[in-house]
Amino acid sequence: MSLYRNSAWFLKGVTEFTRNAFLSASKRFVEKDLEVSVAGRSFMITGANSGIGKATAMAIAKRGGTIHMVCRNKDKAEEARADIVKETGNKEVYVHILDLSETKKVWEFAEGFKRKYKSLNVLINNAGAIMSQRDLNAEGLEKSFATNVLGVYILTKSLIPLLEKSVDPRVITVSSGGMLVQKLRTGNLQSERGRYDGTMVYAQHKRQQVVMTEQLAKTHTNIHFSVMHPGWVDTPVANAMPDFHQSMKDSLRTPEQGADTVVWLSVSEAAVKNPSGRFYQDRKMVSTHLPLAWTHSSPLEEQKLMSVLEDLAKTFQSH
């Protein structure tokens, strides 16, 4: 990561990604955008037991939506579900246990969900992981890549037929502003070469999520895809970067503030009036690149990422 990119990103962050920046941006929000009922619509949210995922589930449940919480830890998930039901009075909240780093199980879960449920209106890819050291899953894939990229790809692709059968289908992926310092690189997807820096690996995966969203939007034109940056939020992911969390803790957004754009993209009519495949921050479309940062990738590189993901996905699909 260049010194320029690092400096430009931090300057952008302190002016746009903080709690105060959210409060400033919120002055232009249209309140009626979220004054909607989504009763009868179903929403799948990964990582829904804490942070942005739980705040999103809470906000959508308040508006009558059916919530499918996809979580790794059963106890934490059930506790979060109880909180959501108690606060919203909405009992249409269901827990599904899945570890997105277990690649084959992601596909098996999606296939099982399609058999059991007749519709899914919105998929929210929120779960993410920062690893402190390189680790492999049971299939021999680097765990962070398996969770943040391949798991998201397999879950999304597997659920597309169900989404396409549903009314006003949407897919929202929670990325990170950290991706702004990363250019797409497909030559080291498993982080096998060089020193393993979990924060930079995570940022690269968040860039890959942006590219994935752009590419899926081109091939599945009847689904509205979007990807967003929640700002700097006080969540378990932020806690995984202790130095950053300590230095910025008084400026971090609440999970509810971080979830605001996710909720807006999920339920508002205004969101789907924008083109599919775009990147959002505080309810508006923004650039996926810092000025003069040289992070643009070639169409060839972007296609290579999608081809690798498709090939990997096929190896885990049993017939």
Side-chain angles (χ1 to χ4, degrees), residues 171-174 213 224-228 265 275-280:
V171 175
I172 298 101
T173 299
V174 179
T213 298
H224 191 272
F225 287 86
S226 54
V227 58
M228 59 78 68
L265 288 165
S276 183
R278 300 296 289 271
F279 182 62
Y280 291 82

Side-chain angles (χ1 to χ4, degrees), residues 62-293:
K62 281 179 181 174
R63 290 163 176 81
T66 297
I67 308 293
H68 293 282
M69 303 172 61
V70 178
C71 308
R72 187 176 56 180
N73 184 298
K74 190 176 192 304
D75 292 342
K76 289 180 181 177
E78 293 291 356
E79 188 179 331
R81 180 193 178 274
D83 289 346
I84 293 165
V85 171
K86 183 179 178 183
E87 187 163 327
T88 67
N90 184 346
K91 293 179 181 175
E92 295 291 303
V93 182
Y94 304 96
V95 167
H96 308 269
I97 303 305
L98 173 69
D99 185 338
L100 278 165
S101 74
E102 298 178 352
T103 308
K104 188 171 179 61
K105 288 183 180 177
V106 176
W107 182 79
E108 289 171 348
F109 165 74
E111 292 302 302
F113 189 90
K114 285 188 293 190
R115 286 192 294 271
K116 186 171 182 180
Y117 297 96
K118 296 292 180 281
S119 72
L120 178 65
N121 301 97
V122 181
L123 168 62
I124 300 168
N125 291 308
N126 165 71
I130 295 181
M131 306 292 178
S132 57
Q133 59 189 34
R134 188 174 184 272
D135 195 11
L136 304 181
N137 69 4
E139 290 96 0
L141 298 169
E142 194 269 319
K143 267 192 176 181
S144 182
F145 171 77
T147 303
N148 298 327
V149 185
L150 186 58
V152 172
Y153 178 83
I154 291 175
L155 185 63
T156 304
K157 282 285 282 188
S158 299
L159 291 172
I160 278 174
L162 186 58
L163 286 157
E164 287 180 329
K165 288 194 296 186
S166 308
V167 177
D168 184 17
R170 310 182 190 192
V171 175
I172 298 101
T173 299
V174 179
S175 182
S176 164
M179 72 92 194
L180 291 166
V181 302
Q182 290 284 318
K183 180 177 181 177
L184 175 66
R185 302 191 188 283
T186 57
N188 191 27
L189 291 175
Q190 301 292 321
S191 305
E192 293 164 298
R193 297 195 301 278
R195 185 178 71 87
Y196 188 89
D197 181 334
T199 304
M200 287 300 104
V201 169
Y202 179 78
Q204 172 62 209
H205 292 160
K206 293 297 166 177
R207 168 63 71 187
Q208 291 169 20
Q209 288 180 348
V210 170
V211 171
M212 197 192 313
T213 298
E214 292 169 344
Q215 295 300 314
L216 289 172
K218 290 176 185 174
T219 51
H220 302 281
T221 54
N222 50 354
I223 298 174
H224 191 272
F225 287 86
S226 54
V227 58
M228 59 78 68
H229 169 42
W232 289 342
V233 185
D234 194 358
T235 67
V237 166
N239 279 313
M241 300 179 283
D243 293 343
F244 172 79
H245 188 266
Q246 181 62 30
S247 63
M248 297 301 297
K249 64 182 180 183
D250 294 331
S251 300
L252 297 177
R253 299 180 178 195
T254 66
E256 290 73 24
Q257 291 169 340
D260 177 82
T261 296
V262 187
V263 177
W264 181 80
L265 288 165
S266 301
V267 307
S268 76
E269 288 185 20
V272 290
K273 290 177 181 174
N274 291 329
S276 183
R278 300 296 289 271
F279 182 62
Y280 291 82
Q281 177 186 307
D282 292 336
R283 299 195 197 182
K284 70 176 183 180
M285 293 183 287
V286 293
S287 174
T288 56
H289 301 280
L290 292 169
L292 307 174

